[in-house]
Amino acid sequence: MSTIKDVAREAGVSIATVSRVINKSPKASQSAFDAVNQAMSKLGYRPNAAAKALVSQNSNTVGVLVSDVSDPFFGALVKSVDKIARQHGKHTLIGNGYHDANQEKESIELLINNRCDALIIHAKGLSDEELMSYANEVKSLVIINRHIEPLAGRCVSLDNFKGSFLATEYLIRHGHTKIGCVSSNHDIEDATERTRGYLAALKEHGIDLPKSYVEYGSPDSEGGELAMSNLLTKSLEMTAIVAYNDNMAAGALAAANENGLTVPDQLSIVGFDDGLIARYVHPKLTTVRYPIEMMAEKAMNIALELAKDCQPEPEPLRFSPTVVRRDSVVKNSN
């Protein structure tokens, strides 16, 4: 394998000149560019990315940590980050944390060690203090889908409480009072806030339901199906369901159909996220829009500004959810 010394020898220049050409320094002459590029092509030499980054202090990469990139929600997040990164001539490195503190830590440190110019972090396992420590180390680190008050200007988040409140209130305004909740069993802020929003909407409208109206499962279609099946096993009087996310809503819908309940005529369902699945289940899912693409673009733009030592303009970084009306909710006539 050819080395930088081989390229210098072939081009008849110094190693320092080869380094300047590789890093596109204005100090390198056109003749040096031509000679070095010709030598690299002849020898099949590829500059080491890490070495380039050490010289230029710029790796032209950005890092993004998500829970699981195979989840369409996180796929949309990564795609939006990558879109902005490419507009700035950068490429994206991805780490998966799976909502586990140790895996999140390993992924963040790997991204830092790869000298990423900016980091977008979606972490639920690490504590506020641990994330603040990383933020102090990396000036261009921005946190998404989580609010840490001392880092308020570097946190892009959604009001999960409001989203679930709106979903529940939407059902109440359609005449539903016997509303079940299919929630996530993950011990994260999103799950807590969405369940809290559901309970707050019931309370505000004078509806008192026992705790048995809430069931938990993994935040996917299988978890939604299991939680819905558990609710049905209790023989509760229900006319509607609020789900933690669209995947759980799809699972709940499947369980309802398998048990002879027609959606929405006998059971109305509201999801959360407005992901692709919401438009392709039958009936199409009424849901709460989570503007993850807008949030990811905002986070990336802030991170790139911070990487250039620029202070972004102060503006609200907490996004508001909205209800998206489709076909899975009808008025309750009982």
Side-chain angles (χ1 to χ4, degrees), residues 102-292:
N102 289 329
Q103 295 194 61
E104 287 178 353
K105 185 175 182 179
E106 288 176 5
S107 293
I108 291 175
E109 291 184 354
L110 181 64
L111 294 172
I112 291 174
N113 290 338
N114 274 277
R115 305 180 64 83
C116 292
D117 300 333
L119 295 180
I120 305 299
I121 301 299
H122 184 291
K124 297 295 183 179
L126 292 170
S127 67
D128 287 358
E129 291 72 23
E130 287 170 309
L131 289 172
M132 287 167 62
S133 175
Y134 284 124
N136 289 333
E137 181 181 349
V138 182
K139 65 182 180 181
S140 55
L141 183 151
V142 174
I143 296 167
I144 191 166
N145 194 23
R146 181 166 173 173
H147 183 81
I148 301 174
E149 189 55 38
L151 299 173
R154 295 163 66 179
C155 293
V156 180
S157 62
L158 181 81
D159 191 337
N160 282 288
F161 174 90
K162 180 180 179 182
S164 189
F165 186 99
L166 289 174
T168 309
E169 189 171 64
Y170 182 80
L171 289 169
I172 294 170
R173 289 177 175 171
H174 279 72
H176 298 277
T177 56
K178 303 296 185 181
I179 305 169
C181 178
V182 172
S183 188
S184 169
N185 60 10
H186 284 192
D187 184 19
I188 60 175
E189 181 186 11
D190 301 37
T192 302
E193 288 298 291
R194 292 182 194 182
T195 304
R196 206 166 66 83
Y198 155 78
L199 295 172
L202 294 179
K203 184 177 181 180
E204 183 161 310
H205 289 271
I207 301 170
D208 186 20
L209 296 175
K211 292 181 179 179
S212 55
Y213 273 77
V214 181
E215 269 293 338
Y216 300 87
S218 55
D220 49 35
S221 55
E222 290 83 0
E225 187 171 7
L226 176 61
M228 185 70 216
S229 296
N230 288 340
L231 284 173
L232 293 173
T233 299
K234 298 174 187 178
S235 298
L236 298 171
E237 183 185 351
M238 285 186 303
T239 63
I241 291 290
V242 173
Y244 171 76
N245 62 17
D246 295 335
N247 289 327
M248 293 195 81
L253 193 157
N257 287 335
E258 287 164 6
N259 286 276
L261 291 175
T262 304
V263 178
D265 296 333
Q266 294 173 286
L267 185 74
S268 291
I269 298 179
V270 180
F272 201 117
D273 285 348
D274 193 24
L276 277 176
I277 195 171
R279 296 188 282 280
Y280 293 106
V281 293
H282 179 75
K284 293 181 180 179
L285 196 62
T286 293
T287 186
V288 173
R289 182 170 180 249
Y290 194 128
I292 190 59

Side-chain angles (χ1 to χ4, degrees), residues 1-4 7 22 39-41 43-49 51-52:
M1 183 178 291
S2 300
T3 67
I4 193 170
V7 173
I22 289 172
M40 287 195 296
S41 178
L43 298 173
Y45 176 79
R46 293 178 63 84
N48 180 278
K52 288 178 67 177

